[in-house]
Amino acid sequence: MSSFVPPVPHHRARSLVSRGRALALLALVASALFLLPAGAARADDAGPPPVDSWALTPTGTDPNQPGARPTFSYDLDPGATVNDSLTVWNYGSTQLNFHLYATDAYNTQAGGFDLIPSEQKPKDAGSWVTLEQDFVTLPPTSKVQLNFTIRVPANAAPGDHTAGIVAASETPAVNSEGKHVILDRRVGSRLYLRVNGPAKPALVVENVASDYHPSINPLSGSLDVTYTVRNTGNVRLGARQRVAVSDVFGGVAEASPAPLPELLPGNAVTITRHFDDIAATFRLSTDVTVTPFAPQATGGGADAAELVRASSTVHTWAIPWLLIVLLVLFVTAILWARRRSRLRDPNPAVGTSAMTEAA
């Protein structure tokens, strides 16, 4: 472990930041791809954390600056072993204790990238990582470089396996009730590992459902469409989305929700899309189409020639009940008026003919 003059975090506005420090900070922001929030804190209503700043990055060519590698990324054969190193940086003015560990990644319901809780044991790529040290203490404005080893099981399935290496620090804080609590804050870098073998990119659209909401005006109802995009293949995929609504007369609405940047193998994301001004034309069809693409992050991905679009269709009734009720009332009123007219005025032509014959 060696001392250095680190870049100053952006939230320390009181300090003067030199140009060199600012550039290093930009490199740090680019390399630390995810920051797990204080949701792991021991108190959910904890107040603002102390002014601390740290990072865990892949070790770069310049030991005094955050590395140029944005992630840990590897292509390995089953049974292979690789050695690499990481650097933990303490940019703050206080000594910090870190718990270092690797764990598995997953997609949140919103499609984001996250890691399983620290108390949950990893079962995939996170369990393949062995760190040189699990705990480390860093004085202010210092760093440490640590080695680690990845051992791929001989029976590892081909495809992408995703994890993260984390530096967690417990920090005292005060919650909104004035009580002293401990915040468990985590920061780290993603780990993408492709086990060589047949790549099978595949997305499916499932559980498509649509719910029509009529209004007083039969031309201005609304429609809620819910569907799930699932990665049933063995490689990471992004997905562009398209939702199209049509009725018996043709297309009536279309939307392109934000692309899913990265869906991990075996993971799924559920999306809901709302449409306004949908006329009640008895029968609506909703087509959901997802077009896969290779994620921008390094490592993994799939050949564009292998990517196949997935789609699914659902139908729903859009009955203009108010219009039907009004129509029924209108027809009933006409029939009632005709019947009443006949009761008041018997057919005069029939009566005249009978009198003529009698004469």
Side-chain angles (χ1 to χ4, degrees):
M1 182 173 65
S2 60
S3 299
F4 74 115
V5 179
V8 179
H10 65 278
H11 54 268
R12 296 180 58 194
R14 298 178 181 177
S15 300
L16 296 177
V17 182
S18 66
R19 181 180 179 184
R21 293 181 179 180
L23 292 176
L25 176 60
L26 292 177
L28 169 63
V29 173
S31 62
L33 292 185
F34 64 88
L35 175 61
L36 303 181
R42 297 180 184 176
D44 294 335
D45 55 350
V51 181
D52 295 326
S53 179
W54 70 90
L56 184 152
T57 66
T59 301
T61 54
D62 184 351
N64 292 320
Q65 298 294 340
R69 292 188 294 168
T71 64
F72 298 103
S73 182
Y74 314 92
D75 289 332
L76 299 174
D77 293 325
T81 298
V82 64
N83 297 313
D84 204 340
S85 67
L86 59 87
T87 302
V88 183
W89 312 73
N90 181 1
Y91 298 104
S93 58
T94 60
Q95 177 174 289
L96 294 175
N97 300 316
F98 296 103
H99 177 206
L100 307 177
Y101 61 93
T103 193
D104 295 336
Y106 71 98
N107 286 116
T108 65
Q109 281 296 318
F113 182 100
D114 207 344
L115 300 177
I116 64 175
S118 57
E119 63 272 13
Q120 186 174 338
K121 188 175 181 179
K123 299 180 180 179
D124 196 51
S127 66
W128 304 348
V129 179
T130 302
L131 297 170
E132 177 184 359
Q133 290 181 234
D134 295 331
F135 296 91
V136 65
T137 298
L138 284 183
T141 61
S142 66
K143 66 179 177 63
V144 63
Q145 181 176 323
L146 299 173
N147 298 322
F148 66 90
T149 301
I150 301 176
R151 294 181 176 86
V152 182
N155 61 349
D160 291 336
H161 301 261
T162 309
I165 302 180
V166 177
S169 178
E170 293 186 346
T171 306
V174 178
N175 63 15
S176 58
E177 299 177 353
K179 296 180 180 180
H180 291 276
V181 296
I182 297 296
L183 294 178
D184 183 12
R185 296 184 293 159
R186 305 189 295 172
V187 66
S189 289
R190 304 185 189 192
L191 188 153
Y192 294 112
L193 195 153
R194 165 69 65 88
V195 176
N196 295 325
K200 298 178 181 179
L203 295 180
V204 296
V205 180
E206 57 188 19
N207 302 327
V208 183
S210 59
D211 188 14
Y212 185 75
H213 308 284
S215 67
I216 296 178
N217 181 357
L219 299 179
S220 62
S222 63
L223 183 72
D224 287 320
V225 180
T226 302
Y227 57 94
T228 298
V229 181
R230 186 178 301 277
N231 187 341
T232 58
N234 64 355
V235 296
R236 299 179 297 111
L237 291 172
R240 297 181 180 89
Q241 309 174 73
R242 177 179 175 272
V243 183
V245 181
S246 60
D247 59 13
V248 293
F249 304 105
V252 296
E254 182 176 323
S256 298
L260 299 174
E262 180 182 41
L263 195 56
L264 305 179
N267 283 243
V269 175
T270 299
I271 297 103
T272 298
R273 186 71 187 188
H274 179 79
F275 294 91
D276 288 317
D277 299 325
I278 303 296
T281 51
F282 293 95
R283 189 72 164 169
L284 296 174
S285 297
T286 303
D287 299 305
V288 179
T289 303
V290 294
T291 303
F293 62 87
Q296 294 299 315
T298 58
D303 191 320
E306 301 173 334
L307 304 181
V308 179
R309 181 179 300 175
S311 62
S312 184
T313 302
V314 67
H315 304 281
T316 188
W317 292 105
I319 308 299
W321 292 112
L322 181 60
L323 187 60
I324 291 176
V325 170
L326 293 176
L327 182 61
V328 170
L329 291 176
F330 178 72
V331 173
T332 301
I334 291 178
L335 294 178
W336 180 80
R338 287 183 177 179
R339 179 178 177 81
R340 187 174 181 181
S341 176
R342 289 176 182 176
L343 291 175
R344 288 182 176 180
D345 186 15
N347 193 337
V350 175
T352 303
S353 176
M355 294 176 61
T356 303
E357 291 177 0

